[in-house]
Each structure stands twice: as structure tokens, then as C-alpha cells.
Amino acid sequence: DIQMTQSPSTLSASVGDRVTITCRASQSISRWLAWYQQKPGKAPKLLIYDASSLESGVPSRFSGSGSGTEFTLTISSLHPEDFASYYCQQYHSYSPWTFGQGTKVEIK
Amino acid sequence: EVQLLESGGGLVQPGGSLRLSCAASGFTFSSYGMSWVRQAPGKGLDWVSVISGSSGSTYYADSVKGRFIMSRDNSKKTLYLEMSGLRAEDTAIYYCARTSGPNGGYFDSWGLGTLVSVSS
């Protein structure tokens, strides 16, 4: 199985900060990576797919980059509604698809 | 608008069985692979199973293989997850999710989830 490791696990930031979350794969997954946002009590929401493609309706302050084994999600300027948990997911190999353990973005 | 609505969750004893359903609307159901993804209380996301759009081919996480069976009825636009031999570690919110490709990929739409609690 491909293991996905996110860092940091928790991130404290302020409104307006630039935030970067890293996701590392245990083997190369090309660009087969997605990012999700999840707020408490809600279902996850797709933000980014294919490492850097922005899902329709997602604000442009979210961006993704990377390939191979290292990927980043960047929020260029944190808005109040961005305080949430973020997960990466690889879909390189047919099965199983695996998620990172999550990064919680908290208010500093 | 894509809508997915899960049902069938509840409290079940260890070793018991449960059947989850997911009613889909707003898209051509038979054209998409569909998945179940679960989340234990306070934990991260865990992919459970996927079924292809037309052929009905299925894949399962090792943790549920042999105990869970995923199926779909394209005429009813409904997805199912038959769970048996339930264990405490199966306690989670179960989400159905539309999958980007016919046999898997990323999850571009999610239901609200249904809670399964396994406890005596």
C-alpha cells in the first residue's frame, strides 16, 4: 500500500497568513493526488485534483503543486472560513486509495 | 446539482450485520464509479470500497474484504453496502462518494454520511 504522510498535523495561523501543508507519498504517484477540506460535522469537500487542478467553485487562494512523492497545498491568504482540517489522497494505484492523516488549521 | 444521501446506519452488536444505502441524483449515475469512505470518531478518512459504473467490478480495503459487499442498482440510482461480521473498529461515519473515474480516482462529491456504531 502507498502511505501518505502529511505535515504538520496541526498548524496555528492568523487570518491573512500564507499557509502551506505538505503531503509525502511512500512511492511515486506521478500527479495522482487530491486535496480535501473538512469542517467539523461536515463531509469532506474536494479542493484540488491531479495535484494542481482547482475544483470548480473553489477560491483561487487555494493552490496545489508537486509530483512524484512530494506535494503541497497552499492557501495564499487565510480567510476565517478556511479554519478546517485538510487531507491529501493518492489515487495512483488501483487499490487501495489512501489518505494522509490530516492537518488541522487552527486560529492562532 | 449532484446529491448523495446515505441511510441505514445505526447501533449494532459486534458480529452483527447492517445494510447501508446511498440514493443519488443530479447526474448520470451509471456513468460513474462510486465509493464508500469512512471516518472513525475523531479520526481521519479511510477508503472502504469502490464499484465501477457499468460492469459492477468491486474493490475493497483489506480491513473489510470478506465481510463487506458493495453493490449498485443503476435503475434505482442507489448504492449499497452490506456489512457483516461487524467489529468495534468498524464504528464510523460512512460516506458515499462519487468517484472521478469508472474504477476509481478522487472523490468529487460526497454525501452527508450515516453513522454506524458497533457496540454491545
Side-chain angles (χ1 to χ4, degrees):
Chain A
D1 296 4
I2 298 176
Q3 307 301 320
M4 306 301 292
T5 303
Q6 285 182 236
S7 60
S9 296
T10 307
L11 188 160
S12 296
S14 302
V15 171
D17 284 353
R18 180 182 181 88
V19 165
T20 298
I21 299 169
T22 298
C23 180
R24 289 187 173 88
S26 60
Q27 64 187 74
S28 177
I29 57 170
S30 185
R31 294 178 59 82
W32 304 118
L33 185 101
W35 290 97
Y36 303 87
Q37 177 193 66
Q38 187 180 32
K39 297 181 180 180
K42 301 293 186 181
K45 172 188 173 184
L46 177 67
L47 299 175
I48 301 282
Y49 61 94
D50 295 350
S52 62
S53 295
L54 194 67
E55 173 70 347
S56 176
V58 174
S60 58
R61 62 181 179 272
F62 291 91
S63 64
S65 65
S67 65
T69 61
E70 188 152 336
F71 302 85
T72 59
L73 173 70
T74 299
I75 309 172
S76 61
S77 178
L78 207 57
H79 284 209
E81 60 268 31
D82 300 336
F83 291 97
S85 293
Y86 294 84
Y87 295 90
C88 62
Q89 177 233 338
Q90 68 82 15
Y91 48 100
H92 169 73
S93 58
Y94 252 128
S95 183
W97 294 277
T98 45
F99 292 88
Q101 81 278 15
T103 295
K104 185 175 182 180
V105 177
E106 297 182 328
I107 300 173
K108 183 186 280 185
Chain B
E1 180 193 3
V2 174
Q3 291 196 341
L4 300 168
L5 185 61
E6 303 92 338
S7 60
L11 176 63
V12 61
Q13 292 188 338
S17 300
L18 212 54
R19 186 199 204 199
L20 305 184
S21 300
C22 172
S25 62
F27 65 102
T28 305
F29 183 66
S30 59
S31 295
Y32 287 85
M34 297 293 296
S35 289
W36 289 97
V37 178
R38 66 184 180 183
Q39 186 170 36
K43 301 297 184 182
L45 300 168
D46 182 30
W47 170 78
V48 173
S49 59
V50 64
I51 188 167
S52 64
S54 54
S55 70
S57 299
T58 52
Y59 296 94
Y60 299 92
D62 286 346
S63 57
V64 306
K65 204 173 292 182
R67 299 188 299 123
F68 290 10
I69 298 175
M70 187 176 185
S71 61
R72 65 191 297 160
D73 185 333
N74 287 340
S75 66
K76 295 182 178 179
K77 298 183 181 180
T78 302
L79 189 68
Y80 302 100
L81 186 67
E82 297 272 3
M83 303 185 294
S84 61
L86 283 162
R87 306 166 180 166
E89 55 265 34
D90 295 318
T91 294
I93 296 172
Y94 283 73
Y95 296 101
C96 69
R98 192 177 78 169
T99 312
S100 60
N103 292 309
Y106 56 87
F107 311 111
D108 62 7
S109 295
W110 298 66
L112 299 178
T114 187
L115 178 62
V116 172
S117 295
V118 184
S119 175
S120 55

